[in-house]
Amino acid sequence: MSVMLKNIAIIAAGQGAPQGDENYCDNGIPFVKAGNLVELVEGKPITEIQKVSDEVAKKHKLRLYKKGSVLFAKSGMSCLKGYVYVLPQDAYVVSHLACVTPNEDISEYLRYYFQYNRPNKLIKDEAYPSISLADIEELKIDIKTQIERDSIVRDLASVAHLIGLQKKQLQEFDTLIKSRFVEMFGDPVNNPFEWKKVSLSELAEIKIGPFGSLLHKDDYIEDGHPLVNPSHIKDGKIITDNKLTISDEKFDEMAAYHLKIGDVVMGRRGEMGRCAVVTEDGLLCGTGSLLIRSKGEITADYIQKIISFPSFKKIIEDMAVGQTMPNLNVPIVSNFKIIKPPIGVQHKYYSFVHQIDKLKLTAKEGLKKLEIMQKALMQQYFC
């Protein structure tokens, strides 16, 4: 049975967030902002986000949204992603988010429904993405019977639980590798094993990305060769934007700035120590980045882990130039002092990493199968 969403739920937007740190506390009720949505969907506990007290809530006349309400972005770039989150407890919500509070106990069913039928399908203009509350209210939902809904939720919750376990295992593998690195090499700044330190330029070639004059706005196309700027380096990985790419012809013109598999690309502006190992061909070092290519005595992974190590990042911050935004250049990066462990120690570490990588590959294959199963079930239930 199909019904309009407005007949089974209350649909509303959140409210403006109180400004200033003085309005937030440690022991109040969570205030969900647009920026929290991705974190919460990816598993961050709602108890860890900013909270407001009853006094502040009364002062700003905040409305409390009930546990089980379904949240998703209704304006801004966030709504393009289509993230959906069910409140695990009562909370306040920012105005950029839409809040769907079911009349019946169907929040989990709606969560899975919206995960498949993403709300971002209601966006009419991607240049100015937004979803109107009126369009949300008019959505027709196949509500099914209580028995069918319960069965669907059980099936999808079971698969989601297994997916969560698989993702947690992958995170634990990464944690294990990081712990092993510290165990075998120690803090690269304190150098507890008293290994020789050398300039990075002795171990790697270093090149700055192209000047802005080499790339113009009309050079950018969709689905070409991606640029890697600092904003595309997140948590030690490269996440490209298919809208910030260049053509084959332009890519060939800029051969000097091609990133190769096994290079390290490092942001030279903003957050210091942001870097990642290149794992695919066809990428271009962006204007705000540096290319670091090992000469063979150490691996790209080793360079990445040293540069992104917390104590080393502090050293980089002290070396960076610029008042308003920290900036790096080739001479500064060339003078990074890098510990150079014996080759036998490096081999022992990477032998361990190789074994963990094989386990990670198996876990990723299992995760992929579960995600395919989840998609097939959702298609069966909600298409």
Side-chain angles (χ1 to χ4, degrees):
M1 177 179 67
S2 292
V3 298
M4 285 189 181
L5 187 59
K6 66 182 178 182
N7 294 330
I8 58 169
I10 298 171
I11 297 102
Q15 296 163 274
Q19 300 300 307
D21 292 340
E22 70 278 1
N23 283 312
Y24 296 92
C25 61
D26 294 328
N27 299 309
I29 292 175
F31 194 112
V32 183
K33 300 177 183 178
N36 299 133
L37 195 59
V38 177
E39 301 173 310
L40 294 171
V41 169
E42 292 180 350
K44 182 175 182 176
I46 194 172
T47 52
E48 292 183 8
I49 69 174
Q50 285 186 313
K51 305 173 185 68
V52 296
S53 65
D54 290 342
E55 182 181 357
V56 169
K58 288 177 182 176
K59 177 182 175 183
H60 292 274
K61 299 180 180 179
L62 298 181
R63 173 182 173 182
L64 196 62
Y65 293 84
K66 294 181 181 178
K67 172 183 177 181
S69 295
V70 181
L71 302 185
F72 49 86
K74 72 173 189 66
S75 61
M77 299 308 292
S78 297
C79 68
L80 287 173
K81 303 292 185 182
Y83 294 116
V84 176
Y85 180 69
V86 177
L87 287 177
Q89 67 176 82
D90 293 352
Y92 301 113
V93 177
V94 79
S95 56
H96 289 300
L97 301 179
C99 187
V100 178
T101 305
N103 299 338
E104 302 177 50
D105 185 20
I106 57 170
S107 57
E108 289 299 311
Y109 177 81
L110 285 181
R111 183 250 291 273
Y112 291 121
Y113 183 92
F114 282 127
Q115 279 182 352
Y116 183 75
N117 294 291
R118 296 281 179 176
N120 57 7
K121 292 178 181 178
L122 297 172
I123 295 173
K124 294 173 181 175
D125 183 356
E126 290 196 2
Y128 304 95
S130 65
I131 305 171
S132 74
L133 292 183
D135 286 344
I136 297 170
E137 290 175 347
E138 299 298 316
L139 274 174
K140 288 188 176 180
I141 307 291
D142 185 7
I143 208 62
K144 302 186 183 296
T145 66
Q146 180 73 52
I147 293 174
E148 288 175 316
R149 292 201 303 269
D150 289 346
S151 176
I152 288 170
V153 168
R154 276 196 304 271
D155 289 349
L156 293 176
S158 296
V159 177
H161 177 68
L162 293 174
I163 287 174
L165 291 177
Q166 205 78 310
K167 287 182 177 179
K168 184 178 179 182
Q169 186 180 48
L170 285 167
Q171 291 172 350
E172 288 172 348
F173 283 142
D174 288 338
T175 301
L176 184 59
I177 288 174
K178 289 177 182 177
S179 298
R180 186 66 166 164
F181 182 89
V182 175
E183 178 187 329
M184 294 190 67
F185 301 114
D187 186 309
V189 175
N190 296 335
N191 192 16
F193 301 112
E194 299 183 347
W195 284 319
K196 181 182 178 181
K197 284 189 176 184
V198 301
S199 297
L200 181 58
S201 58
E202 292 185 33
L203 302 170
E205 299 172 13
I206 301 153
K207 178 182 287 189
I208 202 164
F211 291 111
S213 58
L214 294 176
L215 283 169
H216 303 95
K217 188 175 181 180
D218 56 4
D219 288 322
Y220 299 126
I221 63 169
E222 288 192 25
D223 300 320
H225 293 276
L227 274 72
V228 181
N229 285 319
S231 61
H232 303 127
I233 304 169
K234 300 176 183 177
D235 299 323
K237 295 181 176 61
I238 297 171
I239 303 174
T240 56
D241 179 355
N242 70 343
K243 293 185 178 180
L244 190 66
T245 69
I246 57 175
S247 66
D248 291 341
E249 293 77 17
K250 189 65 180 179
F251 185 70
D252 290 341
E253 283 179 29
M254 308 192 72
Y257 304 101
H258 289 185
L259 293 170
K260 298 179 181 179
I261 293 175
D263 286 346
V264 174
V265 60
M266 176 184 180
R268 64 181 183 89
R269 295 194 293 244
E271 180 189 338
M272 295 291 96
R274 186 189 299 191
C275 59
V277 177
V278 178
T279 58
E280 61 178 301
D281 284 320
L283 305 182
L284 188 79
C285 183
T287 302
S289 300
L290 284 150
L291 181 163
I292 303 172
R293 184 168 291 155
S294 173
K295 294 178 180 178
E297 292 186 70
I298 56 176
T299 67
D301 177 76
Y302 180 80
I303 295 172
Q304 191 276 333
K305 282 187 168 58
I306 292 290
I307 290 176
S308 61
F309 203 89
S311 60
F312 202 90
K313 289 171 73 171
K314 180 65 173 66
I315 295 293
I316 299 174
E317 288 169 3
D318 293 339
M319 295 174 72
V321 295
Q323 294 296 320
T324 56
M325 179 180 286
N327 213 309
L328 298 173
N329 54 39
V330 171
I332 291 174
V333 177
S334 297
N335 286 320
F336 286 175
K337 298 302 179 185
I338 306 293
I339 57 174
K340 188 181 176 184
I343 196 68
V345 176
Q346 294 185 51
H347 285 163
K348 186 176 179 181
Y349 170 72
Y350 283 104
S351 175
F352 172 80
V353 171
H354 180 66
Q355 296 303 315
I356 297 298
D357 281 344
K358 288 196 288 187
L359 295 174
K360 285 176 67 175
L361 181 60
T362 301
K364 286 178 180 178
E365 289 172 349
L367 176 60
K368 186 176 180 180
K369 289 178 182 177
L370 286 169
E371 288 176 338
I372 290 172
M373 180 191 299
Q374 183 186 53
K375 187 175 181 179
L377 286 173
M378 285 184 169
Q379 188 173 20
Q380 176 186 332
Y381 296 144
F382 301 133
C383 198

